Amino acid sequence: MSNADTRPTSPATPATTGARVDRTESRAVASVGSEAHGKNTISDNVVSKVAGIAAREVPGVFALGGGASRALGAIRGAVGQDDLSQGIKVEVGETQAAVDITIVVEYPAPIQQVADAVRTQVTTAITNLVGLDVVEVNVAVNDVHLPTDDQDEQAEARVS
């Protein structure tokens, strides 16, 4: 079973050697069927948030990000400032996007199936909500969350 995306991708523009997406000076998405002329510009932050929300909706995903970013996210969450793009890195071009996601999977969820579901969910969300073609979604599984992890945290909280 291969996790490689076999869809063809457009080559990068010569000015951006090594880029995964079609970068140009402006990142605009053409408006289809619109009477007015102009362009829509979509921030990398918007794409990151859409990807983060989509990834969190997948059953079996416990959290996003590595250990350090999750610790910082816990501090932000305690003060009411959740970071929806935690664990997400995006490259956004004129019509394409590439995404790198780091996740923690809940035990005993099947890791490959969860990673594949994250890839599918994120691709669908970015395509449908943002209107960009997704050329790749790389999913890195950083950790597995065990039910005993929650029990250890509760036991430590009771001790003063």
Side-chain angles (χ1 to χ4, degrees), residues 21-22 27-32 39-54 88 90-99 121-135:
V21 297
D22 59 344
R27 281 179 279 166
V29 178
S31 194
V32 179
K39 63 183 179 179
N40 301 330
T41 304
I42 299 172
S43 167
D44 292 5
N45 191 36
V46 171
V47 178
S48 293
K49 283 185 178 183
V50 168
I53 292 167
I88 308 288
V90 299
E91 287 183 41
V92 180
E94 186 174 334
T95 61
Q96 298 175 330
V99 184
Q121 183 85 357
V122 167
T123 300
T124 301
I126 292 172
T127 301
N128 291 343
L129 297 175
V130 183
L132 296 172
D133 293 325
V134 179
V135 294

Side-chain angles (χ1 to χ4, degrees), residues 60-137:
V61 172
F62 177 75
L64 298 183
S69 68
R70 287 196 337 254
L72 185 58
I75 293 169
R76 283 186 188 133
V79 295
Q81 295 178 339
D82 289 335
D83 183 7
L84 297 176
S85 60
Q86 173 182 310
I88 308 288
K89 180 184 172 208
V90 299
E91 287 183 41
V92 180
E94 186 174 334
T95 61
Q96 298 175 330
V99 184
D100 296 321
I101 302 175
T102 303
I103 64 171
V104 176
V105 176
E106 289 186 45
Y107 183 84
I111 294 171
Q112 288 290 349
Q113 290 178 9
V114 171
D116 290 342
V118 166
R119 185 175 293 106
T120 301
Q121 183 85 357
V122 167
T123 300
T124 301
I126 292 172
T127 301
N128 291 343
L129 297 175
V130 183
L132 296 172
D133 293 325
V134 179
V135 294
E136 90 183 351
V137 176

